[in-house]
Amino acid sequence: MGSPLARVRRPWLWIASVAVLAAALVVWLLAVPGESEEDAAYLDPSLPVADRVADLLGRMTIEEKVGQMTQAEVPAVQDSPGDVGDFGLGSLLSGGSEAFYDTPEAWAAMIDGYQREALDTRLGIPIIYGIDAVHGNAAVPGATIFPHNIGLGAAGDEELAGRTAAITAAETRAAGIPWTFAPCLCVARDSRWGRTYESFSEDPELVTAMADDVVHGYQGEDLSANTSVLATAKHYVGDGGTAYGSSTTDSYTLDQGVTELSEDELRRLHLAPFRAAVEAGVGSVMASFSSTDLGEGPLKVHADGYLLTTVLKGELGFEGFVVSDWAGVSQISDDYAEAVREAINAGIDMVMVPDQYEAFTATLLAEVDAGRVSENRIDDAVARILTQKFALGLFEHPFADTSLAAEVGSEEHRAVAREAAAASQVLLRNEGDLLPLSGDESVYVAGSGADSLGRQLGGWSGTWQGSVNAVDEGTTILDGIGEVAPDATVQYSQRASEPLDGYDVGIVVVAENPYAEGVGDVGPGNDHDMKLSDQDAEAVETVCGAMDCVVITVSGRPMELEGHLDGVDALVAAWLPGSEGEGVADPLFGLAPYTGTLPVSWPRTVDDEPVNVGDADYDPLFAYGFGLETAP
Ligand code: BGC
Ligand code: BGC
């Protein structure tokens, strides 16, 4: 039994020991986390990336991990300041090459603002910002804009394509953006598809040949350099092989539809370019909106564990991360929890939500909590994302390096775009060797594509769909003719409404109006039909009826020319040549030779599509690979 004295003294002891414990706790709370994060292995650039990833992953809560897997679009987070930090978002994008800001510096300042929010979080994991710099970083109005991929395929010069990618990378990173959603390694098998121009060719061999140089062009020798961006091979896999009429999106006919091919055919036609991209070290792959049907009915690639995990990550050995396409996860099922679960379990690592990020993170957390998505799968996804962030040097240099901003749209860069445009011209007819012109002729220029920067840029140029009224800066074909042939007398009349007497030669530039994705699919309910507009058809008839004439097509794909070619002496496919109209004028006047060849078969009529080299009843107007040459 204790003495009365001892009983009196006991509360004292209690208070003393509680105070000591509390003090110790305070010291631990203040000191330990601070100390451990500052000296944390993941912040040590001298350690191998794998060690840094493992260390960081070990410190992350499940909420932080799910945040890393979330990509939101900037208009969505703009309305909710603080959300980038509060949700710990791993990535932001601006879709559609939209020119939200005018200069590289303004883009960089916007992105740095969000980066600051990300760095202020507990672990300070930087965001990775992505954009569709698919033919130059056309979201910056003064940027250099290259021919769309179909033109690069016509040029058939991998080294040149690689240089266009390297310049795009430098101009993109100079705006604070370290990630492009390019290249499209789509193999367009039906020119009625609105994304045909994003494809290098209908021939998987040519697409595969481009993949290596282009991926290296974007990513450079060292991803952390201020001239490199992370590349995205897209859209994995079969996006260009969908069957006409199989799409269930809006009024689309092909885009986002079903690729009805056997696995052998899918591999032969559409997989090979991705194998090349993986071998080139591509850091990310975007899943295709489309479905495949390997015997058990259509399955969205976004939910296809066989294609994403077994084939891409297993067989091909892809070590980067898979990003979903724009709200593509929502297309898997009307039941959002099921859609999220299936996508992540199939192998999607980052989800381009793009705006309902609160619902996405809550849903994925609930799925993990319920054990329907394993923590291992989450750790794998996050490790893949963090690996690329470390490789990009984002932990060391999270903020934009705009020191190369002055080179955006520089003369040197534009010279390469001009070279690429010239190399992409395909001469399809040249009666009496009309071309090249000598440069001292009197020339009558007509057609909707002659003086239209917007039409020669096409989609993904300052706006998602592109615009007849261009947002970006450049030289039209008419301006180019003036510069390349200063001694020529040039009369321009879009509709050929000026008198026609006394000219040596007419140049009629017919064109498609710009479009992107399924909006450009040919089909009922869409505005595009691959045919000449009535005005362009009339201009051809009028000018070519009155003088020797050249017809140039400015389009994302072949156009139906049946019935329009009678009086035409020379015919040139210019594709979507980009910001440098001089590149189209160069071979016209002999400053460069015509060397391009058709990267896609040119059908006689639109209804003949799909027309592809190797078809049993192959009977195009101009065959795949055709192209006349002129002397260098
Ligand atoms: C397209 C992708 C693009 C993404 C972001 C999607 O609609 O299919 O190619 O990268 O949007 O703009
Ligand atoms: C497209 C995106 C695009 C966005 C632009 C979406 O429907 O799929 O690629 O960036 O619209 O608003």
Side-chain angles (χ1 to χ4, degrees):
M1 291 275 149
S3 68
L5 191 62
R7 232 178 279 146
V8 172
R9 283 174 66 188
R10 233 173 241 146
W12 244 105
L13 272 174
W14 274 110
I15 289 165
S17 38
V18 165
V20 167
L21 274 175
L25 186 67
V26 167
V27 168
W28 183 78
L29 277 175
L30 286 176
V32 174
E35 190 184 62
S36 73
E37 241 98 80
E38 268 161 39
D39 301 343
Y42 77 93
L43 292 174
D44 181 353
S46 71
L47 292 176
V49 166
D51 294 359
R52 301 178 72 186
V53 169
D55 176 71
L56 179 50
L57 204 57
R59 295 168 190 268
M60 293 171 75
T61 64
I62 187 67
E63 287 79 9
E64 286 164 337
K65 291 175 184 174
V66 165
Q68 284 303 305
M69 296 170 68
T70 310
Q71 183 185 56
E73 65 154 339
V74 155
V77 288
Q78 232 151 15
D79 302 333
S80 317
D83 273 7
V84 170
D86 292 349
F87 287 88
L89 300 178
S91 179
L92 296 176
L93 88 152
S94 10
S97 315
E98 304 269 351
F100 290 130
Y101 301 86
D102 281 348
T103 62
E105 290 86 353
W107 274 97
M110 177 272 292
I111 294 165
D112 280 355
Y114 292 115
Q115 192 64 286
R116 223 161 273 126
E117 273 188 53
L119 297 179
D120 279 348
T121 56
R122 191 178 73 92
L123 296 165
I125 304 174
I127 53 158
I128 176 173
Y129 205 100
I131 202 163
D132 293 283
V134 299
H135 62 147
N137 186 19
V140 174
T144 308
I145 303 179
F146 298 95
H148 269 297
N149 286 348
I150 195 166
L152 298 177
D157 180 341
E158 298 94 319
E159 186 274 335
L160 175 60
R163 273 191 285 143
T164 69
I167 291 172
T168 298
E171 293 201 1
T172 304
R173 193 106 187 216
I177 302 169
W179 182 17
T180 180
F181 306 131
C184 193
L185 295 180
C186 35
V187 180
R189 301 291 291 177
D190 187 327
S191 291
R192 291 172 294 184
W193 187 36
R195 309 194 79 153
T196 299
Y197 64 80
E198 295 185 62
S199 169
F200 292 108
S201 176
E202 74 186 30
D203 181 0
E205 255 181 64
L206 180 50
V207 181
T208 304
M210 290 289 171
D212 182 67
D213 281 80
V214 170
V215 168
H216 280 120
Y218 285 126
Q219 299 196 158
E221 293 284 302
D222 171 9
L223 259 182
S224 72
N226 64 355
T227 47
S228 297
V229 292
L230 192 76
T232 309
K234 73 184 188 182
H235 309 82
Y236 180 86
V237 57
D239 54 348
T242 56
Y244 187 85
S246 68
S247 181
T248 51
T249 306
D250 303 331
S251 56
Y252 299 6
T253 52
L254 285 141
D255 194 38
Q256 308 190 8
V258 184
T259 306
E260 296 165 358
L261 296 174
S262 67
E263 184 173 344
D264 282 354
E265 286 291 271
L266 183 70
R267 283 172 175 269
R268 186 176 69 79
L269 293 171
H270 300 281
L271 186 67
F274 289 92
R275 190 185 294 274
V278 170
E279 278 165 16
V282 73
S284 72
V285 166
M286 190 184 290
S288 177
F289 278 128
S290 59
S291 306
T292 56
D293 188 347
L294 300 181
E296 284 154 44
L299 175 64
K300 285 278 175 192
V301 173
H302 277 70
D304 195 329
Y306 174 67
L307 289 176
L308 292 175
T309 299
T310 309
V311 177
L312 177 63
K313 293 178 177 174
E315 189 182 317
L316 269 53
F318 174 59
E319 288 178 353
F321 65 91
V322 177
V323 63
S324 67
D325 203 345
W326 186 274
V329 167
S330 310
Q331 294 188 1
I332 294 174
S333 166
D334 291 337
D335 174 345
Y336 191 55
E338 181 176 272
V340 167
R341 172 169 71 242
E342 287 191 4
I344 304 304
N345 286 339
I348 300 276
D349 301 307
M350 181 187 281
V351 172
M352 188 186 290
V353 183
D355 45 4
Q356 304 295 322
Y357 49 87
E358 187 165 1
F360 168 71
T361 51
T363 304
L364 182 51
L365 281 169
E367 288 302 304
V368 173
D369 205 39
R372 290 187 290 263
V373 173
S374 73
E375 288 212 48
N376 277 345
R377 176 73 267 277
I378 300 289
D379 284 353
D380 171 53
V382 176
R384 286 168 177 271
I385 294 163
L386 294 176
T387 299
Q388 298 305 320
K389 289 187 175 184
F390 281 115
L392 281 161
L394 293 175
F395 283 81
E396 285 69 55
H397 304 287
F399 294 112
D401 173 355
T402 54
S403 56
L404 297 179
E407 286 180 25
V408 172
S410 70
E411 261 179 57
E412 286 93 328
H413 289 181
R414 288 182 186 276
V416 176
R418 176 177 177 170
E419 181 189 344
S424 70
Q425 303 301 295
V426 181
L427 181 60
L428 294 170
R429 176 189 282 191
N430 195 20
E431 280 172 14
D433 285 339
L434 178 62
L435 297 181
L437 303 173
S438 63
D440 49 18
E441 294 92 346
S442 57
V443 185
Y444 192 104
V445 180
S448 69
D451 194 25
S452 174
L453 186 61
R455 292 191 176 95
Q456 80 195 40
L457 296 175
W460 304 101
S461 305
T463 66
W464 177 42
Q465 289 294 313
S467 166
V468 168
N469 302 308
V471 175
D472 299 294
E473 292 157 21
T475 313
T476 68
I477 295 171
L478 180 66
D479 295 337
I481 291 173
E483 276 179 43
V484 164
D487 297 334
T489 315
V490 180
Q491 167 70 56
Y492 170 63
S493 170
Q494 182 177 327
R495 299 205 195 172
S497 49
E498 297 293 323
L500 296 149
D501 294 335
Y503 293 94
D504 298 318
V505 64
I507 299 174
V508 188
V509 188
V510 300
E512 285 189 306
N513 284 335
Y515 53 81
E517 300 190 42
V519 178
D521 283 359
V522 172
N526 282 357
D527 288 340
H528 301 276
D529 58 9
M530 291 167 65
K531 298 184 183 181
L532 304 196
S533 67
D534 291 347
Q535 286 174 14
D536 277 348
E538 254 174 65
V540 170
E541 210 177 299
T542 307
V543 175
C544 297
M547 61 191 89
D548 283 353
C549 93
V550 186
V551 167
I552 300 176
T553 56
V554 167
S555 58
R557 50 190 163 192
M559 298 187 80
E560 183 176 295
L561 296 175
E562 207 170 62
H564 300 295
L565 289 178
D566 282 353
V568 175
D569 302 285
L571 177 66
V572 175
W575 313 111
L576 299 170
S579 57
E580 310 311 302
E582 298 97 328
V584 177
D586 282 334
L588 266 180
F589 291 93
L591 268 71
Y594 281 103
T595 53
T597 60
L598 287 182
V600 293
S601 302
W602 198 291
R604 293 177 186 280
T605 69
V606 177
D607 293 338
D608 292 346
E609 286 289 339
V611 180
N612 292 294
V613 63
D615 290 351
D617 50 354
Y618 191 57
D619 181 32
L621 181 61
F622 299 108
Y624 175 83
F626 179 71
L628 301 168
E629 296 198 354
T630 54

